Amino acid sequence: MPATYVTEAELRANLGIENLYSSDIVETCCQTAQDLLNQFLWFDSAPVVGVTLQSNVATAVIANPAIFSTGQSVTLSGCGATFNGTYTITATIPFTTGTSNSFPFTNMHFSPTSGYSLIQFAKTASNTNFQRLLPYGSAVGADTKTASYATTGAVREAAMILAVDIFQARQVSQTGGVTIDGFSPSPYRMGNAMIGKIRGLIAGYQNPGSMCG
């Protein structure tokens, strides 16, 4: 799916490159900028820290006290081929409908104060013992934000800044901005200061979880 925060045509026009570079190169820069921004923007999402599958019922441990509910659609990624995909939640702990399926963690206590919750969904596959996910996977509910962000000026400007830097880093990797006093926060465009340049633009839309660490 083409990037929408900054489009290929917009980046070409800003850089003045017309058709000098292939669509694959320019679109990849746009998509990379959007993917990077999405790590900092706020969505209906939470980390998945572990998964298991028993008797065609999958269970995922969510690092959030109770973000999803029974009957809701959720998309898992980064959880392994068996678990990645979009599913309808059949049960949760803490309960969201007053009933629950048989959870495999009977000796563990999950409540809104524990910081974790469980979701279950149907999945036809071989049994899988509980496995911790490192790095964490991701569980995303209904995406009501991407289309909105694509029309939000601050997010679009941030995406353009990132896309320009990413494209230019392909051409000359060791170049970076220098302030009027000669200070260069990083010798590389892809350095630690990259996100710092656009934090002010996305501050009002930033996921609180991305502000830690």
Side-chain angles (χ1 to χ4, degrees):
M1 179 178 176
T4 55
Y5 297 174
V6 54
T7 67
E8 178 184 343
E10 290 170 337
L11 183 56
R12 286 185 184 277
N14 193 17
L15 293 169
I17 58 175
E18 297 185 353
N19 297 317
L20 292 176
Y21 294 86
S22 70
S23 180
D24 179 64
I25 290 176
V26 182
E27 176 59 33
T28 296
C29 293
C30 295
Q31 190 64 62
T32 301
Q34 181 162 326
D35 291 345
L36 183 58
L37 271 175
N38 282 343
Q39 303 305 309
F40 295 87
L41 297 175
W42 209 348
F43 292 91
D44 180 21
S45 63
V48 181
V49 301
V51 290
T52 184
L53 178 63
Q54 303 294 325
S55 302
N56 295 328
V57 177
T59 303
V61 181
I62 308 296
N64 187 285
I67 191 174
F68 302 117
S69 63
T70 301
Q72 182 178 356
S73 178
V74 64
T75 300
L76 269 60
S77 60
C79 300
T82 299
F83 299 92
N84 290 340
T86 300
Y87 308 96
T88 298
I89 298 174
T90 57
T92 66
I93 287 183
F95 301 154
T96 52
T97 61
T99 59
S100 173
N101 288 351
S102 176
F103 281 88
F105 304 101
T106 55
N107 62 332
M108 299 179 69
H109 175 67
F110 289 85
S111 70
T113 59
S114 72
Y116 293 90
S117 59
L118 304 180
I119 62 172
Q120 280 189 331
F121 50 88
K123 179 67 180 183
T124 302
S126 301
N127 287 354
T128 302
N129 290 339
F130 174 79
Q131 51 189 247
R132 187 182 177 193
L133 297 177
L134 291 174
Y136 293 156
S138 175
V140 182
D143 183 3
T144 61
K145 291 295 186 179
T146 297
S148 175
Y149 288 145
T151 60
T152 300
V155 174
R156 287 174 50 79
E157 291 299 324
M160 178 63 79
I161 292 170
L162 292 176
V164 167
D165 268 7
I166 292 168
F167 177 85
Q168 292 183 344
R170 293 176 61 99
Q171 318 310 315
V172 185
S173 62
Q174 296 188 42
T175 58
V178 178
T179 61
I180 193 169
D181 59 358
F183 173 71
S184 177
S186 170
Y188 301 102
R189 289 186 181 276
M190 303 293 100
N192 293 333
M194 185 179 185
I195 295 301
K197 293 191 300 183
I198 53 91
R199 280 191 187 276
L201 287 169
I202 64 172
Y205 314 94
Q206 196 168 350
N207 184 342
S210 71
M211 302 178 191
C212 303

